[in-house]
Amino acid sequence: MSFPKALVLAIAVTSYSNECKRMIKIKLHNTLTRKKQTFVPLDENNVRLYLCGPTVYDRAHLGNARNVIMFDVLYRLLIEIYGIDSITYVRNFTDIDDKINNKSLESGRPIDAITSETIKWYLEDMAALGNLEPNLMPRATDYIPQMISYIELLIKRGFAYPAEGHVLFSVSNYKNYGRLSGRSIEDMIAGARVEVASYKRNPMDFVLWKPSEKDLPGWDSPWGRGRPGWHIECSAMAHDLLGATFDIHGGGNDLQFPHHENEIAQSCCAYPESEFARYWLHNEMLQVDGKKMSKSLGNFFTVRDLLDQGYPGEVIRFVFLSTHYSKPMDWTYSKALEAKNILRKWRGLLKNNFEIVPVPEEVIKILTDDLNTAGVISLLHNYASNGEIGKLKAGANFLGILTEELSGWCADVDMSSLEGLFTDLRKRAIESKNFENIDELRSKLTNAGVDVQIGKSNVALVPNASFDLQEVNKIVNFYGLN
């Protein structure tokens, strides 16, 4: 597994000894207990975490990136404290789902082609936001035998039953159902869209296995040709890769019920001696300009949409990090513009000579308080204001910003030829009292995100937060300056 140079450097030069690092305590808000708890891993040499990944039928929307960034920060923190070789981070791909099937039927494209392409897009988009790749990224279709075995075990233990080619989990047989979400079964029925089906003993019973028609993907099973329900895949993959009980499970709070609730139920019933996941982390949802993101409101964006619109991945990441994961986050143009200005300023500071330093202890301390990324951002502002550039670089790199990998959008640009042209045109305009040409150039530069600063004896062209290198190159070509 490869890591960005900045992260490897941070780990290599940290001032903590391994013994001291493992004395550091992380506090996380555990959804299961509804309180902040000190994180104590089952095994310090084998810290295990699982994040529910995407259903791969289309581009990841902007909200999908929030829990990835949250877990990426957690991953970096765990690496710092316990060491790279002691962490196993799993994030799955759901590549068997009705949405995928429908897209295949509508487009005429093979399912494998759709899922492979979408996985490639997803990894590219998450990397563009500065995220490290997990150790393991299993595809659900590679774990069908494990899912069938899991279902057989649930039937044997009396927690599932076959009916009309389906297998369903019997919710009423699990007394702790609703523990994660904190709701009673009656409340869940009232607030959920429960599928009413003749083969269900209880409206809340959920599907573990369902029959497949000839034109849909299917696998042979004791209950006939079919495919798994959604919830069983994560339990089967987590058990196979992380064991019956592991440390941390996470996702967006929209997965808390029913997905995570159902994972706990089937896992603890299949393996009664296990806890499944001991700590549960859920991030709040994302809004756009104060409203829920939706296609009907015209405010729905994929990560790729924003990247293609010229929003650098580093800027998107900064905006996400500026709000604590447990609070609703509002994506606005003004926040993105502010982030761009801050990052450009900070990258300008890095051009000065500075001493390479370890990750500051106060950065680690703030993050150990329930991944308080917003607190670290405030600290980075202080470093920048106080001229502590080494600390700024080390702390920012630990959050996955100001890295070499994400620097492309803020590359240095030689503006000297355009400054010379502007000076010449300005001199001519003053002499002729005809400002048409100089106004045209000023307008082009402004539209390209360049501030024109006119001094007594010189002209300076300074890129701002809206700087667009492609537009600047067009100006250079237009005036024959290349």
Side-chain angles (χ1 to χ4, degrees):
M1 177 173 51
S2 61
F3 292 86
K5 294 177 183 177
L7 178 60
V8 174
L9 177 62
I11 294 169
V13 301
T14 183
S15 58
Y16 297 118
S17 68
N18 288 336
E19 292 76 14
C20 289
K21 284 196 288 187
R22 295 200 177 195
M23 291 176 64
I24 299 170
K25 298 302 180 184
I26 302 172
K27 291 186 177 180
L28 301 172
H29 185 271
N30 188 351
T31 309
L32 192 63
T33 60
R34 290 164 185 75
K35 62 183 179 182
K36 194 183 292 186
Q37 291 179 278
T38 299
F39 172 65
V40 180
L42 289 162
D43 179 354
E44 290 188 350
N45 297 310
N46 184 21
V47 182
R48 290 157 284 169
L49 52 157
Y50 188 101
L51 177 64
C52 285
T55 301
V56 286
Y57 69 99
D58 207 347
R59 290 278 189 182
H61 65 71
L62 190 58
N64 295 145
R66 195 172 191 195
N67 56 47
V68 177
I69 292 174
M70 170 187 72
F71 254 58
D72 185 64
V73 173
L74 175 61
Y75 188 29
R76 292 165 185 261
L77 182 60
L78 293 173
I79 288 171
E80 174 69 16
I81 294 174
Y82 297 102
I84 292 174
D85 296 333
S86 297
I87 315 300
T88 303
Y89 171 21
V90 178
R91 187 182 67 216
N92 73 295
F93 288 113
T94 297
D95 60 346
I96 173 67
D97 184 87
D98 288 343
K99 291 178 180 178
I100 302 171
N101 298 339
N102 292 337
K103 186 162 187 176
S104 176
L105 292 172
E106 291 169 3
S107 66
R109 297 183 65 201
I111 285 174
D112 283 351
I114 293 171
T115 56
S116 295
E117 177 182 62
T118 308
I119 287 172
K120 178 176 179 292
W121 288 344
Y122 183 86
L123 293 176
E124 290 172 349
D125 291 348
M126 293 307 109
L129 301 184
N131 295 301
L132 306 175
E133 287 193 355
N135 305 78
L136 300 168
M137 294 182 284
R139 295 174 62 145
T141 51
D142 291 334
Y143 287 79
I144 301 296
Q146 290 90 333
M147 295 181 211
I148 291 173
S149 296
Y150 217 99
I151 295 169
E152 288 180 312
L153 186 56
L154 285 168
I155 294 173
K156 180 181 178 181
R157 292 189 181 278
F159 292 103
Y161 58 93
E164 300 180 24
H166 296 75
V167 180
L168 296 110
F169 181 87
S170 180
V171 168
S172 58
N173 286 6
Y174 178 54
K175 63 180 180 180
N176 290 326
Y177 194 80
R179 181 184 170 199
L180 181 69
S181 57
R183 293 182 286 182
S184 68
I185 292 179
E186 290 73 20
D187 289 339
M188 290 184 227
I189 292 175
R193 295 178 180 177
V194 178
E195 179 191 5
V196 178
S198 61
Y199 47 78
K200 285 188 175 185
R201 296 176 183 172
N202 182 316
M204 287 300 295
D205 291 351
F206 58 87
V207 173
L208 300 171
W209 188 265
K210 54 187 173 182
S212 288
E213 299 174 4
K214 291 182 179 180
D215 60 344
L216 294 176
W219 289 262
D220 292 332
S221 79
W223 319 286
R225 183 179 180 274
R227 59 193 191 277
W230 174 32
H231 312 297
I232 193 66
E233 67 175 70
C234 286
S235 289
M237 287 188 282
H239 184 273
D240 191 79
L241 298 170
L242 300 176
T245 303
F246 57 95
D247 295 299
I248 303 172
H249 197 317
N253 66 1
D254 58 325
L255 296 182
Q256 186 175 323
F257 177 82
H259 185 50
H260 290 164
E261 193 77 72
N262 291 350
E263 281 187 62
I264 292 174
Q266 63 201 11
S267 299
C268 291
C269 290
Y271 296 92
E273 74 287 355
S274 75
E275 298 177 62
F276 190 46
R278 301 175 69 236
Y279 300 84
W280 288 82
L281 269 65
H282 291 95
N283 61 279
E284 260 291 351
M285 294 294 98
L286 174 136
Q287 297 177 325
V288 176
D289 293 323
K291 298 179 180 179
K292 182 180 179 181
M293 188 169 67
S294 71
K295 292 181 180 178
S296 62
L297 293 175
N299 65 352
F300 181 91
F301 301 106
T302 66
V303 173
R304 181 51 51 181
D305 286 337
L306 291 183
L307 293 171
D308 289 345
Q309 289 170 19
Y311 290 93
E314 184 174 47
V315 169
I316 298 171
R317 185 179 182 90
F318 186 97
V319 174
F320 276 78
L321 293 172
S322 298
T323 300
H324 192 271
Y325 76 87
S326 66
K327 297 178 180 179
M329 199 204 88
D330 196 18
W331 171 269
T332 65
Y333 172 77
S334 60
K335 285 185 178 180
L337 189 62
E338 181 183 20
K340 208 170 186 180
N341 280 325
I342 292 168
L343 288 167
R344 188 179 291 281
K345 176 183 176 181
W346 287 357
R347 284 195 174 276
L349 294 174
L350 298 185
K351 296 175 185 176
N352 303 324
N353 291 326
F354 63 89
E355 180 184 1
I356 295 174
V357 300
V359 180
E361 292 185 20
E362 52 195 342
V363 169
I364 303 298
K365 183 178 180 181
I366 292 172
L367 281 180
T368 57
D369 185 11
D370 200 24
L371 307 181
N372 185 7
T373 56
V376 177
I377 293 291
S378 295
L379 182 62
L380 297 181
H381 280 291
N382 291 338
Y383 290 154
S385 298
N386 297 334
E388 298 177 280
I389 311 306
K391 290 185 177 180
L392 172 66
K393 171 72 171 174
N397 283 177
F398 198 77
L399 285 184
I401 55 177
L402 299 189
T403 62
E404 293 180 17
E405 289 77 12
L406 298 183
S407 65
W409 71 275
C410 200
D412 289 335
V413 181
D414 183 3
M415 306 293 282
S416 57
S417 61
L418 282 172
E419 288 171 343
L421 173 65
F422 193 96
T423 302
D424 184 52
L425 290 180
R426 180 170 178 267
K427 181 179 179 181
R428 293 182 191 180
I430 293 172
E431 291 173 351
S432 66
K433 297 186 177 2
N434 182 349
F435 292 87
E436 183 178 350
N437 290 336
I438 191 67
D439 287 345
E440 180 184 6
L441 176 56
R442 185 194 294 269
S443 177
K444 288 179 182 291
L445 290 168
T446 299
N447 291 336
V450 178
D451 292 332
V452 180
Q453 299 177 357
I454 300 176
K456 290 183 179 180
S457 58
N458 71 313
V459 173
L461 302 182
V462 181
N464 61 36
S466 301
F467 180 74
D468 189 327
L469 181 58
Q470 289 183 333
E471 290 301 314
V472 170
N473 287 334
K474 288 179 183 178
I475 297 171
V476 170
N477 292 333
F478 181 81
Y479 288 99
L481 300 175
N482 51 347

